[in-house]
Amino acid sequence: MAKFFTPVQINEFKECFSLYDKKQKGKIDAKDLVTVMRCLGTSPTLGEIERHLQVHKIERSGNLDFSTFLTMMHRQIQQEDPKTEILEALRMTDKQKKGFMQASELRAKLTMLGEKLTNREVDDLFKEANIKSNGIVNYEEFTQMVILPPVDY
């Protein structure tokens, strides 16, 4: 699994994992899995946690080692690919399948559906993406810009 993560990610995962390794034996309790994964930025449901444990034949009262945890994190991160989710949602509204939509239509979707953004938040996104409020948006480019990690100075 290490080939799917950068050394920085692995160190971050190991640090968080070790906080829950109460006996310092290189294992965490399965009941702590949801907490550890959420601390590392994923959002698994309890059902997803159960599936991860079932795949590895681990009882809810059991424990897991770091290698197994990395496998579970990789699978969870793949499931939560935000770019794919965003693009899929926008493609469903693109009736002509051209890859573009009116900025006003995108604004309406961002402020009225799902996890609603405020008009100010949309203004900030549009400004960063250099989108005119009366313009047309290439939603694949917009999605790429939105999912980029914030600049870390």
Side-chain angles (χ1 to χ4, degrees):
M1 265 312 116
K3 66 184 175 193
F4 296 110
F5 299 114
T6 67
V8 172
Q9 286 176 305
I10 292 172
N11 286 338
E12 181 183 2
F13 295 170
K14 185 73 169 166
E15 188 176 325
C16 188
F17 185 91
S18 66
L19 292 173
Y20 290 85
D21 181 8
K22 295 173 181 98
K23 296 176 185 169
Q24 303 204 333
K25 299 234 180 201
K27 296 182 180 221
I28 62 169
D29 293 339
K31 67 180 176 52
D32 292 329
L33 180 60
V34 69
T35 304
V36 177
M37 291 179 103
R38 287 180 179 171
C39 286
L40 291 166
T42 61
S43 303
T45 64
L46 294 178
E48 289 169 336
I49 293 295
E50 288 299 323
R51 279 192 295 281
H52 289 308
L53 294 172
Q54 285 174 354
V55 165
H56 295 279
K57 296 177 177 57
I58 298 171
E59 295 290 323
R60 191 83 173 114
S61 60
N63 53 45
L64 57 136
D65 63 18
F66 187 67
S67 177
T68 303
F69 173 72
L70 279 181
T71 302
M72 292 175 177
M73 277 298 288
H74 174 67
R75 188 168 285 130
Q76 187 65 36
I77 289 170
Q78 281 186 313
Q79 282 176 213
E80 293 182 15
D81 180 14
K83 182 178 180 183
T84 303
E85 286 183 43
I86 294 167
L87 281 175
E88 195 173 305
L90 292 174
R91 281 187 188 121
M92 287 176 16
T93 63
D94 181 7
K95 292 165 183 64
Q96 284 96 26
K97 307 291 181 215
K98 292 185 177 183
F100 295 91
M101 66 187 342
Q102 293 290 327
S104 57
E105 183 182 359
L106 179 58
R107 175 181 292 280
K109 290 181 184 349
L110 294 173
T111 58
M112 291 188 236
L113 300 174
E115 220 172 294
K116 299 172 182 76
L117 299 179
T118 65
N119 277 315
R120 183 172 174 85
E121 289 170 324
V122 174
D123 289 342
D124 290 344
L125 276 177
F126 280 15
K127 183 178 179 183
E128 193 170 327
N130 200 24
I131 295 172
K132 307 269 187 285
S133 61
N134 62 349
I136 295 179
V137 179
N138 176 321
Y139 56 78
E140 289 201 23
E141 288 176 10
F142 177 77
T143 302
Q144 184 63 38
M145 187 280 308
V146 169
I147 64 158
L148 288 174
V151 178
D152 187 19
Y153 292 101

